[in-house]
Amino acid sequence: MTVTELRKTKRGRISVYVDGEFATVLHPEVAAQSGLKAGAETSPEKLGRLVEESLFRMAKEDALRLLDYRAYPKGQLAAKLVEKKYPPEVARQAVDRMEELGLVDDRQYAEAFARELAETRHASRRMIREKLMQKGVDRLLIDEALEGLEFSEEEELAELIRKKYLSRLGEDEGERKVIAALARRGYPYGMIRRVLAALAEEEA
């Protein structure tokens, strides 16, 4: 197998042509360190190793770009990389490297995410748990994040009703619709009833 051409792509990567035909794309640093050049002999095994190293480097770079915009838990970051067509094993290795560098921390992410939902959206504990599970966070870490929340769920529910739903209670079937909306947010039916009753007494 003879390398016949190395061609730079628009994205800065290196297209490798072998025996006059396109063979693969390599990360530029991997290509530079490989010793590949026009006229050099190569083998399927060597190209395979170079492709694996290139995919790992590209996945790490894409992971860093994603993390520049916002924090991700490990599972969600790996899923994003798979969406970008990286093999699952390569995505996992890249995310593990991000964790080693301290750029991904599922415990810290779970705590911050739970606190944000509780403080800014008056989310129920059930909703917080479901959202974190959807993001692939470990159940144990979710439990720890919820245990660390220092807030009264009933007080948060009352504040949510005051801010968003109080005016709707006077509409036709308003109470039923409000109860349904709050239930969808994960609040237990009995708690909703208690808080609505307490707010009604306040208004009276």
Side-chain angles (χ1 to χ4, degrees):
M1 296 176 64
T2 304
V3 177
T4 50
E5 184 182 2
L6 298 178
R7 185 184 301 171
K8 192 172 184 178
T9 70
K10 290 181 180 179
R11 298 183 65 184
R13 295 169 181 174
I14 306 299
S15 294
V16 180
Y17 292 79
V18 174
D19 296 333
E21 296 185 356
F22 172 78
T24 191
V25 174
L26 300 178
H27 187 280
E29 291 181 11
V30 173
Q33 295 165 5
S34 69
L36 290 181
K37 59 183 179 180
E41 294 298 313
T42 188
S43 67
E45 293 75 21
K46 180 175 181 178
L47 283 179
R49 291 193 299 272
L50 294 175
V51 168
E52 287 180 5
E53 177 62 20
S54 291
L55 282 173
F56 180 50
R57 293 203 185 198
M58 292 178 205
K60 287 192 297 182
E61 290 174 358
D62 275 337
L64 287 169
R65 277 191 283 269
L66 287 166
L67 291 168
D68 275 343
Y69 288 98
R70 66 180 181 85
Y72 284 90
K74 288 178 63 178
Q76 191 178 35
L77 182 58
K80 286 285 186 182
L81 292 175
V82 171
E83 286 177 11
K84 291 178 174 289
K85 309 304 181 186
Y86 290 105
E89 180 63 16
V90 172
R92 184 190 64 76
Q93 291 172 353
V95 172
D96 285 348
R97 182 57 180 151
M98 296 300 104
E99 186 176 33
E100 290 171 6
L101 294 171
L103 301 175
V104 174
D105 185 327
D106 275 13
R107 174 174 279 102
Q108 187 178 74
Y109 179 91
E111 292 172 353
F113 186 81
R115 187 166 55 250
E116 179 185 2
L117 282 185
E119 293 176 354
T120 65
R121 296 182 58 186
H122 307 291
S124 66
R125 290 178 181 271
R126 178 180 170 186
M127 174 181 274
I128 294 170
R129 178 180 295 280
E130 289 176 352
K131 294 286 188 183
L132 284 170
M133 288 179 65
Q134 289 169 8
K135 292 177 179 293
V137 178
D138 183 81
R139 290 175 181 270
L140 180 60
L141 296 181
I142 295 174
D143 290 341
E144 291 178 1
L146 289 171
E147 287 172 8
L149 287 178
E150 297 179 357
F151 78 112
S152 164
E153 202 166 24
E154 291 202 10
E155 289 179 5
E156 292 298 322
L157 174 56
E159 186 63 20
L160 176 62
I161 294 171
R162 290 189 189 98
K163 286 184 174 180
K164 190 168 183 178
Y165 295 102
L166 199 59
S167 62
R168 295 170 58 181
L169 291 172
E171 300 172 359
D172 290 341
E173 297 191 5
E175 184 172 298
R176 182 185 64 79
K177 292 178 180 177
V178 168
I179 290 173
L182 295 172
R184 287 194 294 272
R185 285 175 168 264
Y187 285 103
Y189 179 77
M191 182 186 296
I192 296 171
R193 280 294 189 187
R194 285 197 305 274
V195 172
L196 285 174
L199 290 174
E201 287 184 11
E202 284 183 12
E203 291 295 310

